Amino acid sequence: MDFSLLGPVSVTTGPSAAPVELPLGPAKRRSVLAMLLLRPNSTVSVEQLISSLWEDEPPAHARTVIQGHVSRLRAALSEGGAGHHGVELTTHSSAYLLRVPETLIDTQRFDQLVAHARPEAAPRDAVQLLSQALGLWRGPALTGTVASPPFAAAAHALEERRLTAVEALARAHGALGEDERAAGVLHPAALANPLREGLIAALMLVLYRTGRQSDAIGWFHRTRQLLADDLGVDPGERLRSAYQEILRAGPAADGPRGGAPEGPGQGGHAGHGAQPVPSPPAHPVSVPANVSAPAPVPELLPRPPAGFLGRNTELAELTRLALPDSGPGHAPGGYPHEGGITLVTGPAGVGKTGLVVHWGHAHPAAFPDGRLFADLRGFSGGEAVAPAEVLREFLYAMGTPPEQIPSSPEAASALYRSLVGRRRMLVVLDNAGSSAQVRPLLPGGPHCATLVTSRSRLDGLIATDSARPVRLHALGTEDGVALLGALLGPGRVAEDPDAARELVALCDGLPLALRAASAQLMARPRWRLARLATALRDERRRLPLLSAEDTGVAAALRNSVARLSADDAELLRALGAGFAREVNTAEAAALSGADPELIQDSLERLAEMHLLDEEATNRYVMSDLVKLFAQGDGSGRGEAPAGAPGEDPDARPEETGPR
């Protein structure tokens, strides 16, 4: 017989190979049993049971209800052979007692296994014991009991014991040099407990030791923002210490400690490895106030984009504009002229962020004092990030104590410029919504290179700050096919080259769309590319199929359209409903029924947002995917429902080739 509280409350009996679960009845009866199991071999008063089962005023017949549940539990246990296992439910005046060998209760076995584990002294044995203990969990503790404060408190206490065991298991793996396994243990727990600072700090350190420094730093900033938003507090000492240890240690080693180097998409970047550095200690070391610590070298760039290829012309242009001594057109002294501000623009999903992040990782030696990165969320569907928030994160990353960061945005911006002005750094301001959002974040002096990405042209930044624009266009056919090969494997693309080229065309050459299409195919390894191409020809289903969970072309376009005025959005819908992909001002006015002079301004604004391309004077072109999106209601709410290719009975693609 086995009593389970670490998951759904249950009782099983019979052989372990084929256990039989006893019928326990409704939630209140399970709750009575759970309360007795939480205090095994001890009396539990009827008053305690009543206060646990009814959060509000209990009914007048509550004692009778309790007696009925106990009677039925006693019968169920008896039918399950409780007597043969030394289990007995007895009555003691106004209380009940469940006599049970503690080895039959999963919470007791869990505690015994954890108590015997010594992660630092005997890590190999600890891994076995703690893994066995955590294996007893089958879901959230006390599932199936009533929702009342006593049971919530008991479930929380059990969850705390589980998280303590998770952290101990990670320490044991770390003591064995198995940092990848430690990260695998901590990661799901950190996702479920984003405000548990000790857990996040431990995850940051093991991620650093596996070579994923940018991921480790990303966890810090995400947790810091959550603490500020949800609790209004700054990170605690352990989280801050872990962050400072990583910054002081410098760039992480190429690959995981004690394992094979990481491949693309796992945090590594072939051909640009840094020299190995010692791993930070498992327990962060505090630096005395009278010791002058070196200035941190912030490394905030996200991990390099997986499968990045091509874009040689654009990468060369970034190098020419951003790197000193890379060619003509640079100021004396080896610094980029005009402060080195490069503005990368293009439509949604064209790969602007991937381009600048790839470039930043390709030139680590050019920025010995660090690389800063901020997603300004100008086109992310929610509220854009205030410059003051970014300044606070940048100053903190550069070693400014939280209490010394000015509360005034103007003072914080001035301090930031003075600190950055003395350093050779890369500043990446991604997904900018406006020039005004960017200006307070521009570094002072000629020593830094700044890369700004936006779906808008940000003409104001060009006019007032001499930003140099780099327009990013869709991939050509060959580069698009090469990207599919990098994502799916060259063999799969080589067996269907015509379909690969058609997929690139159907995706308008957008890397985001090609990655979403690849996700569909990777989930179905037996499918040929032609089958997906056939499904994508159905215009009703193309946008839904070019989505993967919460990302995809439609989501990206929806965020762009959300920035339009009502009149501009209405014009986009009218152009989407029109037959032609290319229009001039007069034709657009005829389609929308508006004044041609007003239409000209609207067309310019749509082109500025890269929802249209002005390929010649007064000739505006709309891509197929934008046109399909606009044919709904301009917001994406008219899209067809998503579904796997071949599963729509009204548009089932014919089978092409063997499966």
Side-chain angles (χ1 to χ4, degrees):
M1 182 167 280
D2 187 67
F3 295 87
S4 298
L5 299 176
L6 303 179
V9 175
S10 64
V11 182
T12 56
T13 188
S16 57
V20 177
E21 184 171 341
L22 299 184
L24 296 181
K28 280 189 169 56
R29 193 172 306 157
R30 290 175 185 269
S31 301
V32 170
L33 176 62
M35 187 58 67
L36 295 171
L37 288 170
L38 288 169
R39 302 175 185 180
N41 303 306
S42 301
T43 57
V44 179
S45 68
V46 173
E47 287 75 15
Q48 288 175 309
L49 290 172
I50 290 174
S51 64
S52 299
L53 265 64
W54 284 277
E55 184 175 359
D56 300 322
E57 186 69 22
H61 59 286
R63 285 178 174 271
T64 304
V65 173
I66 296 291
Q67 291 170 358
H69 286 315
V70 169
S71 176
R72 286 171 175 78
L73 282 174
R74 189 180 286 126
L77 293 173
S78 177
E79 291 175 6
H84 298 294
H85 299 280
V87 177
E88 184 182 13
L89 177 53
T90 61
T91 303
H92 293 262
S93 183
S94 295
Y96 298 99
L97 182 145
L98 181 62
R99 291 193 177 92
V100 54
E102 294 188 352
T103 56
L104 300 184
I105 307 174
D106 59 357
T107 53
Q108 300 296 320
R109 296 200 304 276
F110 173 83
D111 287 340
Q112 291 170 7
L113 289 166
V114 172
H116 285 91
R118 295 179 296 161
E120 287 78 18
R124 197 166 300 281
D125 291 339
V127 166
Q128 183 177 358
L129 291 168
L130 292 166
S131 298
Q132 186 178 348
L134 291 168
L136 295 172
W137 285 74
R138 299 171 297 111
L142 304 180
T143 298
T145 57
V146 298
S148 68
F151 281 107
H156 177 73
L158 289 170
E159 176 64 11
E160 285 293 311
R161 281 144 67 180
R162 186 187 73 84
L163 291 174
T164 299
V166 167
E167 294 173 341
L169 177 58
R171 294 200 306 275
H173 280 304
L176 294 171
E178 299 171 345
D179 292 313
E180 284 286 1
R181 291 189 176 183
V185 168
L186 292 170
H187 188 263
L191 288 174
N193 299 270
L195 297 178
R196 191 180 177 93
E197 295 186 55
L199 185 66
I200 306 301
L203 176 60
M204 286 168 56
L205 291 170
V206 297
L207 286 174
Y208 174 85
R209 289 195 292 266
T210 61
R212 285 175 280 177
Q213 183 177 13
S214 62
D215 285 350
I217 292 174
W219 270 101
F220 172 80
H221 288 290
R222 184 160 51 245
T223 306
R224 181 178 173 277
Q225 190 65 51
L226 284 172
L227 290 168
D229 292 345
D230 294 358
L231 304 178
V233 299
D234 288 322
E237 177 59 28
R238 186 173 175 189
L239 196 62
R240 292 201 310 269
S241 296
Y243 180 60
Q244 294 296 342
E245 285 294 332
I246 292 171
L247 292 180
R248 279 196 291 270
D254 285 348
R257 184 181 69 178
E262 292 180 315
Q266 295 177 300
H269 190 68
H272 303 290
Q275 292 299 317
V277 297
S279 298
H283 300 286
V285 180
S286 60
V287 179
N290 60 348
V291 175
S292 177
V297 179
E299 292 290 350
L300 305 188
L301 279 185
R303 66 169 61 191
F308 186 93
L309 45 81
R311 300 294 194 193
N312 295 329
T313 301
E314 292 87 350
L315 290 169
E317 182 68 0
L318 288 184
T319 301
R320 185 184 74 81
L321 293 172
L323 282 189
D325 302 323
S326 63
H330 283 75
Y335 298 117
H337 57 68
E338 309 295 356
I341 303 170
T342 304
L343 174 61
V344 179
T345 65
V350 79
K352 301 177 292 294
T353 303
L355 176 77
V356 298
V357 171
H358 175 85
W359 185 90
H361 279 288
H363 299 90
F367 307 105
D369 296 320
R371 294 172 288 192
L372 299 173
F373 177 93
D375 179 3
L376 303 182
R377 299 205 294 267
F379 295 88
S380 296
E383 187 174 352
V385 178
E389 295 181 35
V390 180
L391 286 169
R392 185 174 177 84
E393 292 201 7
F394 281 1
L395 289 170
Y396 191 84
M398 289 187 288
T400 307
E403 64 275 9
Q404 295 181 18
I405 297 176
S407 57
S408 162
E410 294 77 13
S413 183
L415 176 60
Y416 163 70
R417 288 194 301 272
S418 66
L419 291 177
V420 176
R422 300 191 296 268
R423 304 186 187 188
R424 296 282 298 274
M425 300 182 73
L426 172 66
V427 179
V428 178
L429 304 173
D430 184 47
N431 197 11
S434 67
S435 299
Q437 187 187 24
V438 170
R439 288 192 184 101
L441 306 174
L442 296 175
H447 297 264
C448 293
T450 305
L451 303 181
V452 182
T453 75
S454 181
R455 298 183 195 177
S456 173
R457 290 199 309 249
L458 298 190
D459 294 339
L461 203 64
I462 298 172
T464 62
D465 296 276
S466 299
R468 298 305 178 99
V470 174
R471 168 66 194 274
L472 200 58
H473 296 275
L475 294 174
T477 301
E478 294 308 313
D479 281 344
V481 170
L483 177 58
L484 288 174
L487 297 171
L488 297 171
R492 196 169 181 190
V493 172
E495 71 178 8
D496 229 350
D498 292 338
R501 286 189 286 271
E502 184 180 4
L503 282 176
V504 174
L506 290 166
C507 292
D508 282 347
L510 288 178
L512 177 63
L514 290 167
R515 290 177 183 275
S518 298
Q520 294 276 8
L521 290 165
M522 283 188 280
R524 302 165 178 85
R526 297 181 62 190
W527 283 21
R528 297 188 57 153
L529 274 63
R531 183 169 184 181
L532 180 59
T534 301
L536 290 176
R537 289 183 206 132
D538 184 347
E539 294 184 346
R540 297 171 301 169
R541 308 183 61 226
R542 193 178 306 170
L543 285 175
L545 290 173
L546 295 180
S547 298
E549 292 193 359
D550 59 345
T551 188
V553 177
L557 289 172
R558 188 178 301 113
N559 293 336
S560 291
V561 172
R563 295 287 304 275
L564 299 177
S565 67
D567 289 341
D568 292 348
E570 182 60 37
L571 175 60
L572 185 71
R573 283 192 287 270
L575 296 178
F579 180 75
R581 291 179 62 249
E582 181 177 320
V583 296
N584 58 25
T585 304
E587 292 164 343
L591 282 171
S592 63
D595 186 333
E597 292 185 5
L598 298 177
I599 287 297
Q600 180 64 54
D601 292 338
S602 286
L603 289 171
E604 283 294 323
R605 287 190 291 269
L606 293 176
E608 182 182 350
M609 297 286 287
H610 294 99
L611 292 165
L612 296 178
D613 277 327
E614 189 175 11
E615 294 195 345
T617 302
N618 197 28
R619 299 302 299 177
Y620 296 90
V621 176
M622 178 181 286
S623 72
D624 287 341
L625 292 178
V626 173
K627 189 173 180 65
L628 290 175
F629 180 86
Q631 284 172 356
D633 62 0
S635 68
R637 289 188 294 269
E639 300 157 22
E647 293 175 1
D648 183 348
D650 297 323
R652 187 179 301 275
E654 59 181 295
E655 193 74 36
T656 307
R659 291 184 59 182

